[in-house]
């Protein structure tokens, strides 16, 4: 009984805190593996079986969705993991007819990928990815100064088109008024009042998506060309979707 | 749609799509800074709007249930017939009463009864009021005259209600007719009538014969136990048995014989509700009369 109460307490803590969620998932990794193994009828191989990743995110989803009225957490998580694994298998079955690039061509011949002309410059890609990693790390550090993490930003990101459009309007307004970005960096506070007044977006909307707005505005500051290039559609003022 | 991998955590990865949205997705061996397509996104838990809609739905369902219960309670108390009173003068009228004693439906069970109810609606009125008004109409239409008889056959599952209706009808109708006309008022228990078993819930036997006024003074003495009686041939509907039977309860009594408290003339009524749950009817009398019939 005590264990059950403690487990529920941990689940509710993990709902609120990304670090606690990480710790909880780590602690229950054997359970997640066991559920995956039960589904695959063999032990999953870490770094090779996508099913394990699916089971982990399903476990995380169970943490987020769980409430006491749903009964025992582990049973609920087990059901959710199984459902997500079934969904994943169905999704993958659609690609069953596709040829694998790793597939050898006739007996012991070279792999299919080796026979295709490589249109990508691997060196360039690695360079690009490394630069992107540096940008992302810098962005993460900067976001942490505002008391948030990228995980929080993802949770705080608007999902409705109307809200996304409102946030985009505020972003455009900030681009046109660089003093707002300066104020953000200097004071480590989002200039909500000015943004709302200049963009015409309701202050409440901006407040509700504060962490997301901070991330977007930080991306607008110097040093994040790759990330800005990725979301250029939004920055151009086009449709968010 | 392409997604830029922003962060990798224990159970998931954080991705940024080209529309500027951040997502949590399954970490399918991604690397930070990698651009991926077709990730397995985390399905969001029901958000505020959906939760609100669910709560509103639940509240609506609860309200509907309450309304249903309230409606059922209202129907049970006010609309559903619980007791029945068969009024026989010669026009025969069935009064359906709810639990509160209010008339919910009036039915003329013979031609005269239908004529009596023509243009009259007693729905929602008190039993006594309806009885008084129907008797007034019967007098106006010539169905009831001096020395006539008014019979109330009460059919209710509740003994206390039977007592209440019986007492109320007798006293109130007596008071209503006092000084205007002398009639005999008879109260019987529908269930204890000889033919109640066969006609329970149904209308009393119909008859369109004109009323036969009975003057208490003119009522002959009850016959001896071994003697024959043809009081039952009066054809008084529910209060009266089918033709041919001797239902002495329907006949006014004078002097000795049956209790006679059910056949009090107006103005001189000394009726008191018998204590101990005694009913107003005369099942015992009927039995006596049956015995008479046997003797016959």
């Amino acid at each position: 009984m005590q264990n059950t109460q403690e487990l529920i307490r941990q689940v509710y803590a993990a709902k609120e805190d990304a670090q606690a969620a990480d710790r909880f998932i780590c602690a229950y990794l054997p359970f997640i593996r066991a559920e995956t193994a039960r589904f695959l009828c063999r032990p999953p191989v870490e770094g090779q079986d996508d099913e394990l990743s699916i089971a982990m995110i399903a476990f995380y989803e169970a943490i987020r969705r769980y409430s006491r009225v749903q009964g025992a957490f582990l049973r609920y998580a087990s059901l959710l993991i199984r459902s997500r694994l079934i969904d994943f298998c169905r999704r993958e079955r659609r690609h069953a007819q596709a040829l694998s690039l790793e597939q050898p061509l006739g007996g012991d011949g070279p792999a299919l990928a080796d026979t295709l002309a490589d249109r990508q410059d691997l060196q360039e890609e690695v360079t690009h990815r490394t630069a992107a990693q540096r940008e992302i790390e810098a962005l993460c550090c900067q976001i942490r100064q505002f008391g948030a993490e990228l995980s929080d930003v993802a949770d705080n990101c608007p999902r409705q088109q109307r809200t996304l459009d409102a946030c985009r309007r505020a972003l455009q307004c900030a681009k046109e008024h660089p003093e707002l970005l300066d104020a953000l960096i200097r004071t480590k506070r989002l200039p909500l009042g000015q943004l709302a007044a200049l963009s015409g977006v309701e202050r409440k909307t901006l407040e509700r998506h504060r962490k997301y707005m901070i991330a977007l505005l930080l991306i607008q500051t110097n040093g994040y060309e790759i990330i800005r290039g990725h979301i250029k559609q939004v920055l151009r003022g086009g449709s968010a979707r | 749609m392409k997604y830029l991998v922003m962060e990798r955590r224990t159970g998931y990865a954080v991705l940024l799509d080209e529309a500027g949205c951040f997502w949590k997705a399954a970490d399918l061996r991604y690397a930070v800074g990698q651009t991926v397509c077709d990730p397995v996104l985390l399905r969001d838990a029901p958000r505020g709007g959906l939760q609100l809609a669910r709560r509103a739905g639940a509240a609506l369902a609860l309200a509907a249930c309450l309304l249903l219960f309230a409606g059922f309670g209202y129907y049970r108390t006010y609309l559903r017939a619980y007791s029945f009173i068969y009024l026989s003068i010669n026009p025969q009228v069935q009064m359906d009463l709810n639990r509160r004693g209010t008339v919910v439906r009036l039915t003329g069970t013979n031609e005269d009864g239908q004529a009596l109810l023509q243009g009259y609606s007693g729905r929602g009125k008190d039993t006594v009021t309806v009885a008084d008004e129907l008797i007034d109409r019967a007098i106006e239409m010539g169905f009831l005259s001096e020395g006539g008889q008014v019979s109330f056959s009460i059919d209710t599952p509740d003994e206390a209600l039977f007592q209440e209706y019986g007492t109320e009808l007798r006293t109130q109708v007596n008071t209503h007719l006092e000084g205007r006309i002398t009639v005999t008022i008879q109260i019987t228990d529908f269930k204890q009538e000889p033919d109640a078993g066969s006609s329970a819930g149904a209308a009393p036997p119909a008859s369109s014969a004109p009323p036969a006024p009975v003057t208490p003074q003119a009522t002959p003495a009850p016959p001896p136990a071994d003697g024959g009686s043809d009081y039952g041939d009066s054809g008084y509907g529910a209060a009266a048995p089918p033709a041919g039977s001797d239902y002495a309860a329907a006949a006014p009594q004078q002097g000795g014989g049956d209790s006679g408290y059910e056949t009090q003339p107006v103005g001189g009524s000394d009726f008191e509700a018998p204590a101990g749950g005694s009913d107003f009817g005369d099942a015992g009398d009927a039995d006596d009369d049956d015995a008479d019939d046997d003797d016959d």
Side-chain angles (χ1 to χ4, degrees):
Chain A
M1 187 66 185
Q2 192 121 19
N3 287 343
T4 310
Q5 292 296 328
E6 175 59 20
L7 177 65
I8 292 174
R9 192 196 60 74
Q10 285 178 356
V11 172
Y12 274 81
K15 274 175 189 284
E16 304 298 325
D17 181 14
Q19 305 284 351
D22 285 352
R23 284 196 299 274
F24 189 67
I25 292 169
C26 279
Y28 280 85
L29 207 51
F31 168 78
I32 299 169
R33 276 183 211 280
E35 289 299 318
T36 315
R38 201 151 66 103
F39 180 78
L40 292 174
C41 302
R42 62 172 172 81
V45 181
E46 199 162 354
Q48 191 176 324
D49 284 323
D50 285 346
E51 282 82 357
L52 188 58
S53 302
I54 300 298
M56 284 169 84
I57 199 163
F59 188 79
Y60 180 61
E61 187 183 337
I63 293 171
R64 287 164 63 96
R65 284 177 176 246
Y66 177 74
S67 73
R68 282 188 177 88
V69 294
Q70 282 162 318
F73 171 73
L74 290 179
R75 183 180 294 191
Y76 175 70
S78 170
L79 277 172
L80 204 63
I81 288 171
R82 189 167 177 76
S83 304
R84 294 295 173 261
L85 285 173
I86 290 169
D87 291 347
F88 180 71
C89 282
R90 285 183 183 150
R91 194 178 109 135
E92 289 301 295
R93 207 173 292 155
R94 273 185 266 144
H95 307 300
Q97 301 300 322
L99 288 174
S100 169
L101 287 173
E102 308 300 324
Q103 185 180 330
L105 277 176
D108 295 333
L112 180 61
D114 297 338
T115 63
L116 299 172
D118 191 359
R119 286 189 289 178
Q120 285 182 324
D121 186 341
L122 191 62
Q123 185 62 38
E124 190 184 338
E125 192 186 329
V126 169
T127 311
H128 182 268
R129 188 182 293 183
T130 310
Q133 276 175 0
R134 254 187 251 122
E135 274 192 19
I136 291 166
E137 279 168 21
L139 180 67
C140 286
C141 285
Q142 215 168 3
I143 288 175
R144 270 188 216 111
Q145 291 173 6
F146 288 82
E149 289 188 63
L150 277 177
S151 176
D152 300 328
V153 174
D155 287 337
N156 197 234
C157 178
R159 301 289 177 221
Q160 274 193 340
Q161 186 61 53
R162 195 177 55 180
T163 319
L164 275 170
D165 289 343
C167 291
R168 202 172 60 232
R169 277 206 308 277
L171 181 65
Q172 287 296 330
C173 175
K175 274 172 71 180
E176 289 160 13
H177 298 85
E179 68 274 13
L180 293 179
L181 297 176
D182 293 341
L184 175 74
I185 302 291
R186 197 178 58 250
T187 62
K188 301 281 183 279
R189 292 179 65 184
L190 187 64
L192 279 172
Q194 287 167 286
L195 262 180
L198 292 169
S199 64
V201 176
E202 276 191 45
R203 186 189 171 103
K204 199 163 71 175
T205 306
L206 296 175
E207 270 177 353
R208 199 171 288 157
H209 302 287
R210 182 181 152 272
K211 289 175 184 171
Y212 175 69
M213 282 308 301
I214 288 170
L216 276 191
L217 293 180
L218 286 176
I219 289 168
Q220 282 307 299
T221 57
N222 285 333
Y224 301 114
E225 279 82 10
I226 295 173
I227 302 174
R228 274 207 299 272
H230 180 70
I231 59 170
K232 57 185 179 295
Q233 186 187 342
V234 177
L235 301 180
R236 272 203 308 266
S239 172
R241 290 282 167 100
Chain B
M1 178 79 80
K2 287 181 179 173
Y3 297 81
L4 181 64
V5 180
M6 301 292 287
E7 189 179 33
R8 290 182 69 197
R9 298 196 74 107
T10 311
Y12 57 93
V14 178
L15 311 181
L16 173 64
D17 70 12
E18 292 171 304
C21 285
F22 288 84
W23 299 92
K24 286 180 177 175
D27 182 6
L28 302 176
R29 288 162 283 149
Y30 296 145
V32 174
Q34 184 186 354
T35 305
V36 297
C37 301
D38 204 19
V40 180
L41 299 176
L42 174 73
R43 297 186 195 181
D44 268 327
R47 292 175 84 85
L50 189 57
Q51 280 175 348
L52 194 68
R54 280 186 184 170
R55 280 182 194 166
L60 273 177
L62 190 67
C65 284
L66 285 175
L67 203 66
L68 200 67
F69 276 117
F72 179 70
Y74 182 82
Y75 166 76
R76 198 164 163 270
T77 309
Y78 292 98
L79 302 180
R80 197 172 124 196
Y82 182 69
S83 310
F84 305 89
I85 295 179
Y86 301 102
L87 166 68
S88 298
I89 300 171
N90 171 52
Q92 291 167 351
V93 173
Q94 176 183 332
M95 288 192 261
D96 296 1
L97 314 178
N98 62 18
R99 283 174 183 265
R100 298 257 175 173
T102 308
V103 174
V104 292
R105 188 166 47 245
L106 283 174
T107 316
T109 54
N110 63 2
E111 280 179 23
D112 290 345
Q114 286 161 11
L116 185 68
L117 291 179
Q118 196 76 39
Y120 176 77
S121 170
R123 191 183 168 88
K125 291 181 184 172
D126 180 51
T127 320
V128 174
T129 309
V130 171
D132 288 346
E133 287 175 359
L134 286 179
I135 289 170
D136 287 347
R137 284 172 70 88
I139 294 169
E140 279 173 24
M141 294 168 80
F143 290 119
L144 184 63
S145 54
E146 183 69 24
Q149 179 176 357
V150 177
S151 166
F152 295 101
S153 178
I154 302 171
D155 179 11
T156 177
D158 191 345
E159 179 65 23
L161 267 182
F162 172 75
Q163 298 283 352
E164 185 187 327
Y165 290 151
T167 312
E168 208 173 46
L169 281 169
R170 182 178 293 282
T171 53
Q172 297 292 326
V173 172
N174 271 336
T175 310
H176 181 67
L177 294 177
E178 197 170 3
R180 292 166 59 198
I181 186 170
T182 304
V183 294
T184 307
I185 296 172
Q186 179 190 20
I187 309 288
T188 56
D189 187 353
F190 181 77
K191 279 186 237 148
Q192 293 187 14
E193 287 175 10
D195 58 343
S198 60
S199 62
S207 167
S208 59
V214 180
T215 310
Q217 287 76 17
T219 306
D226 57 348
S229 168
D230 43 7
Y231 279 123
D233 293 338
S234 59
Y236 273 112
S245 71
D246 279 341
Y247 189 41
Q253 304 291 320
Q254 192 176 35
D258 290 336
S259 68
Y261 69 79
E262 70 277 49
T263 56
Q264 301 294 330
V266 172
S269 172
D270 55 354
F271 165 76
E272 286 176 7
S278 162
D279 63 29
F280 292 86
D282 48 4
D285 301 341
D287 291 340
D288 293 342
D289 296 335
D290 288 342
D292 294 344
D293 289 344
D294 293 339
D295 292 336
D296 288 339

